[in-house]
Amino acid sequence: MDPRVLRSRFVGTMVGFAVGDALGMPAQFLSREEIRTYYGKPVTTFIRAHAGHASEFLPQGSYTDDTQLMLATAECLVECGRMEPARQADALLSWFVNTIPHRTPMRANELACKHLASGKAWNKSGVFSGGCGAAIRMPPVGLLYFRDADALVRAALDDCLITHTDPHARAASVAVAYLIARLVQSNEHTSPGDQVLEIADRVHSIDADMAALLRWVTQIAHLRPEEALFEIGTSSDALEVVPAATYCFLKHPRQYAEAVLAAVNAGDASDSIAALTGSFVGAFAGWEVIPKEWRDKVEDSEVLVAIAEQLAAIAERQSKNLAATSQ
């Protein structure tokens, strides 16, 4: 693969995630109708959250805990060159202890970090939750292991176990990482729908419900976002967030703004759904499809690009080593 294309897709994954998160931030917890009530119209760009919102203290263009934890994961992968779950657990605990104030953290992540703080090991700290708080950490895992499916699955499951033990969360984590890995390898002949079906087959043994929902989403991509996202659901449950983001991606696989704003204006877990949607489109179509104004103005844009480039360099080296050992 052309290194320039690979770099664009790695950067697109990371920046696309953060931009989607920041666009969805002011719509989080709101219904589609409440978004129009508070902001006068659907969200179309970065804005501040309304007075009284949990994120009202954040400037426009700011991301939530989703990007904080995604970045913490990416930084650990760059530091270690692989998934080291004990080091990842330390990074999550550092986020929990040192972030003031927290940015709408998910309950399961908080509880798991409290377990870590009490001395529990990384493989004993997770809680039985089917939320999406582990899945949102997975795009960097998919990037680093984009050529090694078996290692990807192990890394995703280890990372997930730190905070979530429910099969729904485990399947969602593998689905996100695996879809990212497949998308960054796409070419002009690639069918996004076929890739989603491949992911469904991959996660079926972990959770048949997640697999069934991913297959179903490929069949309803023709529906309008208002109808499809109502049917899928937009809560923070992994069984809704990952299929909803997958739908938005399939609806507009190369149109970043259209895909992400469809997720944003559905409300509820808009930050998480829009973040994953943005990462999928960025992984498939590259960072160039993200509007320049959003790329430039999202919080920590330069940090996101730098970490993505470091991940790309490590992943390329590992891919070459893997190819050499298989000969």
Side-chain angles (χ1 to χ4, degrees), residues 22-24 26 41-48 60-61 261 264 293-294:
L23 287 165
K41 61 180 182 179
V43 175
T44 58
T45 191
F46 293 142
I47 58 173
R48 292 190 66 128
Q60 63 183 29
L261 292 176
V264 167
E293 180 182 10
W294 294 350

Side-chain angles (χ1 to χ4, degrees), residues 91-158:
L92 298 182
L93 180 57
S94 177
W95 159 81
F96 177 70
V97 171
N98 298 318
T99 300
I100 302 174
H102 280 141
R103 302 185 181 189
T104 60
M106 298 184 198
R107 182 63 173 160
N109 286 337
E110 287 188 303
L111 288 173
C113 286
K114 289 179 180 178
H115 292 163
L116 291 169
S118 72
K120 285 189 176 183
W122 68 268
N123 58 350
K124 301 293 184 181
S125 55
V127 299
F128 193 76
S129 166
C132 70
I136 55 92
R137 302 195 298 268
M138 296 300 150
V141 176
L143 293 177
L144 184 65
Y145 293 103
F146 80 105
R147 293 284 196 189
D148 191 341
D150 291 339
L152 179 152
V153 172
R154 290 194 298 271
L157 290 175
D158 280 349

Side-chain angles (χ1 to χ4, degrees), residues 214-279:
L214 291 174
R215 294 186 184 106
W216 174 57
V217 162
T218 67
Q219 299 172 11
I220 63 169
H222 64 283
L223 297 179
R224 295 182 303 111
E226 294 82 358
E227 182 179 356
L229 293 172
F230 177 79
E231 293 298 329
I232 297 167
T234 55
S235 78
S236 60
D237 288 349
L239 283 178
E240 296 187 9
V241 167
V242 174
T246 303
Y247 160 80
C248 292
F249 162 65
L250 291 176
K251 188 68 175 176
H252 303 287
R254 294 186 179 277
Q255 289 77 44
Y256 182 90
E258 289 86 344
V260 169
L261 292 176
V264 167
N265 287 293
D268 208 348
S270 55
D271 57 333
S272 302
I273 299 171
L276 288 177
T277 300
S279 71

Side-chain angles (χ1 to χ4, degrees), residues 9 18 22 25 56-57 59 61 68 93 137 148-149 156 172 183 195 217 235 245 264 293 297 310 323 325:
R9 291 177 177 177
M25 175 268 291
E56 66 175 336
F57 63 94
Q68 289 178 328
L93 180 57
R137 302 195 298 268
D148 191 341
L183 293 175
Q195 290 185 315
V217 162
S235 78
V264 167
E293 180 182 10
K297 292 185 177 180
Q310 289 175 295
T325 57

